Amino acid sequence: MSGWIWPLALLPLAFASGWWLHWRNSRRSSGAAVSRLSTTYFRGLNYLLNEQPDKAIEVFLKIAEVDRDTVETHFALGHLFRRRGEVDRAIRLHQNLVMRDNLSDEQRTEAVLALGEDYMRAGLYDRAETLFTDLLKLESSAPRAMKHLISIYQAEQDWQQAIEHAKSYESATGEPMGRLIAHFYCELAERARCQGKPDAARDNLRRAFDVDANSVRAGMLEGRLEAKAGNDVAAIRSFERVARNDPDFLPELLPDLLDAYRRHGDLARARSFLAEMIERYPGVSPVLAMTALVQEQEGGERALEYLTGQLRQRPSVRGQGALIDLSLAQGATAERDILLVLGQLTEKLLSGAPTYRCQRCGFGARAHHWHCPSCKNWGTVKPIHGTAGE
Ligand SMILES: [Zn+2]
């Protein structure tokens, strides 16, 4: 331990140096107290600016010790400890503060919040949870405590509690939480699906749509659930609706949607939907899917013609790869060697690049995440557009 023996151990020091007495006396003449305090305060500030936080802490500790009313100094100290990664010291300081009996209600709330935040930083989620929950019992509208509890329950994957608190937070602050709550219901739905409880999964999806009617994730889950149950018409309806709401997710759901069309034996509908998407969506995925259908139904020659025409309008490395494959399959003999080299090159170009990126923090990934691993936002990771992506 870092030898935290404040406040008792520092008292003799303060007395011995005469500093405390001096300060007490000078305090009697009004104005002098302020200037004495400011001198000390600025000395501390100076240490801070010179990046000597140890000395700064020492000075601030003295101010804090001499005047029990300087609660703000304690908060500043706690902040300083945290910034230096000394969570243990911050915890002890805030514990001490919470137990003082001369705090205003506001200050006590602030101290409890600060202590809970220390616990969170130290990874002591259960203690933080207890503290914030107790605070909410005393003071039902402590939005900061609610917000912390929401992230604690997320970390613990206690989605039910996360939902309850997100709803309370929304009614306390008026800040819309529907999109976040829908993700929590989707987590519950996915859990139910994994446990082989499709009905419970459907209930949670309905709740997700209640709070966020355009939830992409709930729509995709619903589509997969219906497809698994053999309800291809319902699956097709869900996937199509998601793609129309947010075409950015088209590449994510296209393979499942195409499977559903195929099982249902409705390739005509597949082609008309793809044609609609190609109009509305700038990426290459629907073009490639359409090319495959044209090849299957009308032959390679027509597919090659179609793809060439499309790629003139939307150049893409993946499109180029498909064009090369198609040409090879059509038996283009003279250019064969060149095509083979081009094909390998294309594959190389595509293999290293991330295909998804978080629109909030820029995190790049090869697989899709609903919860950004970097900035922890929900639903912000989307397929990348551009020649090497969609
Ligand atoms: Zn992010």
Side-chain angles (χ1 to χ4, degrees), residues 318-374:
R318 274 174 68 208
Q320 177 187 316
L323 190 64
I324 292 166
D325 287 346
L326 211 52
S327 308
L328 281 170
Q330 283 306 103
T333 44
E335 304 90 348
R336 197 171 169 82
D337 285 346
I338 301 171
L339 284 174
L340 279 172
V341 173
L342 275 175
Q344 285 158 2
L345 199 66
T346 308
E347 208 167 290
K348 251 191 176 154
L349 280 173
L350 285 172
S351 66
T355 38
Y356 298 90
R357 193 167 302 288
C358 174
Q359 317 223 304
R360 203 63 65 84
C361 73
F363 175 81
R366 296 283 298 163
H368 182 246
H369 300 269
W370 286 112
H371 196 199
C372 174
S374 173

Side-chain angles (χ1 to χ4, degrees), residues 71-72 100-111:
V71 175
E72 291 313 320
R100 284 164 62 154
D101 45 19
N102 61 340
L103 296 185
S104 68
D105 285 352
E106 214 170 275
Q107 286 171 332
R108 193 176 311 281
T109 303
E110 184 62 33

Side-chain angles (χ1 to χ4, degrees), residues 49-210:
L49 291 173
N50 290 324
E51 297 192 22
Q52 291 177 276
D54 279 335
K55 289 191 171 166
I57 284 174
E58 211 176 291
V59 171
F60 285 131
L61 274 177
K62 277 183 185 163
I63 303 177
E65 192 44 50
V66 169
D67 186 356
R68 283 172 63 86
D69 298 331
T70 55
V71 175
E72 291 313 320
T73 313
H74 283 87
F75 283 126
L77 262 172
H79 189 71
L80 211 54
F81 286 150
R82 273 198 219 153
R83 277 195 44 191
R84 283 165 47 84
E86 298 182 58
V87 186
D88 281 357
R89 294 181 91 181
I91 286 177
R92 267 165 291 184
L93 181 138
H94 289 132
Q95 277 174 339
N96 223 301
L97 210 51
V98 167
M99 286 186 300
R100 284 164 62 154
D101 45 19
N102 61 340
L103 296 185
S104 68
D105 285 352
E106 214 170 275
Q107 286 171 332
R108 193 176 311 281
T109 303
E110 184 62 33
V112 171
L113 282 168
L115 181 57
E117 283 158 8
D118 294 339
Y119 284 150
M120 281 179 77
R121 200 170 279 213
L124 302 167
Y125 286 113
D126 47 346
R127 283 203 209 173
E129 185 185 332
T130 312
L131 207 59
F132 290 137
T133 310
D134 287 348
L135 184 64
L136 280 183
K137 277 179 203 150
L138 290 171
E139 202 174 326
S140 55
S141 63
R144 220 165 101 202
M146 284 185 212
K147 201 146 202 186
H148 286 315
L149 279 170
I150 296 169
S151 47
I152 290 173
Y153 292 128
Q154 275 185 66
E156 291 173 346
Q157 307 204 330
D158 187 341
W159 307 114
Q160 205 64 58
Q161 286 281 5
I163 290 166
E164 296 308 319
H165 285 79
K167 284 181 175 172
S168 318
Y169 182 81
E170 185 177 83
S171 32
T173 62
E175 191 184 317
M177 299 294 276
R179 281 191 52 211
L180 186 69
I181 297 172
H183 274 287
F184 297 160
Y185 279 125
C186 287
E187 290 285 346
L188 285 174
E190 281 196 74
R191 186 180 288 169
R193 191 183 60 146
C194 289
Q195 293 167 343
K197 298 174 183 163
D199 289 339
R202 279 197 188 86
D203 286 344
N204 282 305
L205 290 182
R206 256 192 299 278
R207 291 180 195 120
F209 284 126
D210 282 346

